[in-house]
Amino acid sequence: MAGLTQYPTRPAAEQAADLLLLADVVSEAPVPLWVIGPEGSVEVANRAAVSFLGYRNDLDLVGGPSHELLHRNRLDGTSYPPDECPIICAQGLEHRGQEWFVTRAGDPRPVHWSTRRLGGTGATVLSFMPTASDAVRHGAEARLRDSAPTPAPFRSRAALRDGLYAIIHERFADPMFTVADLAAEAHVSVRSLQALFADVGRSPASEVRRVRLEFAHSMLERGHGVQTACQRSGFLDPGSFGRAFRRRFGYPPSQVRPPAAGS
């Protein structure tokens, strides 16, 4: 593929070991991350990236072409050739920029992205997060209104909720992140924020807590301790974490076990 640097072949065992280590590091990150292989395919995708793009799990992404999964077409519907993609064609160690990514459902998401080339493997780590500016968000809403067959007010509110979820997935690991912070980053009032979530029978506080608990549960399934899961998912103390976890899942975090091999 044009623009991709060729790297000398390394022993298969070394490459496999490097990829396993990299996958473990990437999977723990609270921000959307994935690893692009030398040929442009997705080698690792973490939970935050899967959720941000609306896929079921990483199996929907791993092995697929990174460029096509992120933005096969431009916003005007025209084809976006891989050899024009600034992400997979970037030369050098680090790059950053702004792009529009498209979810599995076809919704456009404005993002800031950055890449870092991993020497010796030929792979690139891509991180991305939603932009928060009014101009970009309003552009996304306009795109949705113009293209959607469903009523524009409904789609606009749904698009705003998608943006709010993106911010939650970006910030949930910060224990000081509050509903007021979420409203400020989205440039809406707390009352408007509550109304947007009330449309779907939820509250902003409960959704922040849900994302934290689901991330903690995934960490426990991967073998991490309760204290580590508590801290990395944004809870201030084990007591409140344990109570919230039991209410959400019906059992304490200490009872979570990694899934059996092959299950």
Side-chain angles (χ1 to χ4, degrees):
M1 185 177 292
L4 295 177
T5 303
Q6 297 298 316
Y7 288 82
T9 302
R10 299 171 63 238
E14 291 185 17
Q15 293 183 26
D18 287 348
L19 186 58
L20 286 173
L21 176 60
L22 186 60
D24 189 53
V25 173
V26 168
S27 68
E28 298 303 322
V31 299
L33 292 175
W34 72 31
V35 178
I36 305 171
E39 300 303 320
S41 62
V42 180
E43 295 192 355
V44 180
N46 73 357
R47 184 184 180 92
V50 171
S51 176
F52 180 81
L53 293 171
Y55 286 86
R56 296 169 300 179
N57 53 56
D58 62 340
L59 297 179
D60 290 334
L61 297 168
V62 173
S66 177
H67 174 74
E68 283 78 2
L69 288 167
L70 292 175
H71 42 203
R72 180 187 305 272
N73 297 312
R74 303 185 191 276
L75 286 184
D76 61 4
T78 59
S79 178
Y80 192 171
D83 59 8
E84 295 180 13
C85 177
I87 294 174
I88 64 169
C89 296
Q91 301 295 319
L93 184 62
E94 296 184 47
H95 290 273
R96 61 188 67 244
Q98 297 185 42
E99 278 282 324
W100 290 84
F101 290 172
V102 180
T103 68
R104 186 186 186 204
D107 294 330
R109 296 275 184 88
V111 300
H112 289 295
W113 60 267
S114 63
T115 59
R116 183 176 181 83
R117 188 79 70 174
L118 301 176
T121 67
T124 298
V125 175
L126 167 69
S127 66
F128 50 92
M129 62 184 65
T131 59
S133 71
D134 280 338
V136 173
R137 191 178 73 249
H138 291 164
E141 293 172 32
R143 165 68 176 169
L144 288 168
R145 286 196 300 270
D146 292 342
S147 63
T150 51
F154 175 80
R155 287 305 300 265
S156 291
R157 292 177 74 83
L160 281 171
R161 273 195 302 277
D162 285 345
L164 293 169
Y165 279 117
I167 295 171
I168 291 172
H169 280 280
E170 176 191 345
R171 295 287 309 280
F172 75 88
D174 178 2
M176 305 310 293
F177 178 63
T178 65
V179 170
D181 295 327
L182 176 60
E185 289 202 25
H187 303 282
V188 298
S189 68
V190 171
R191 180 170 294 183
S192 296
L193 186 72
Q194 292 168 336
L196 282 166
F197 282 101
D199 285 349
V200 290
R202 299 168 186 166
S203 73
S206 68
E207 288 304 278
V208 172
R209 184 168 56 251
R210 179 185 62 80
V211 171
R212 285 172 169 163
L213 288 169
E214 289 183 354
F215 181 77
H217 195 283
S218 71
M219 288 194 67
L220 293 167
E221 285 186 323
R222 294 195 297 272
H224 293 279
V226 173
Q227 183 73 21
T228 300
C230 169
Q231 293 175 344
R232 293 189 183 178
S233 56
F235 285 89
L236 286 171
D237 66 271
S240 61
F241 168 61
R243 290 189 294 273
F245 193 98
R246 184 186 286 272
R247 285 194 299 269
R248 173 71 176 83
F249 298 107
Y251 46 83
S254 59
Q255 289 186 3
V256 178
R257 297 289 182 270
S263 62

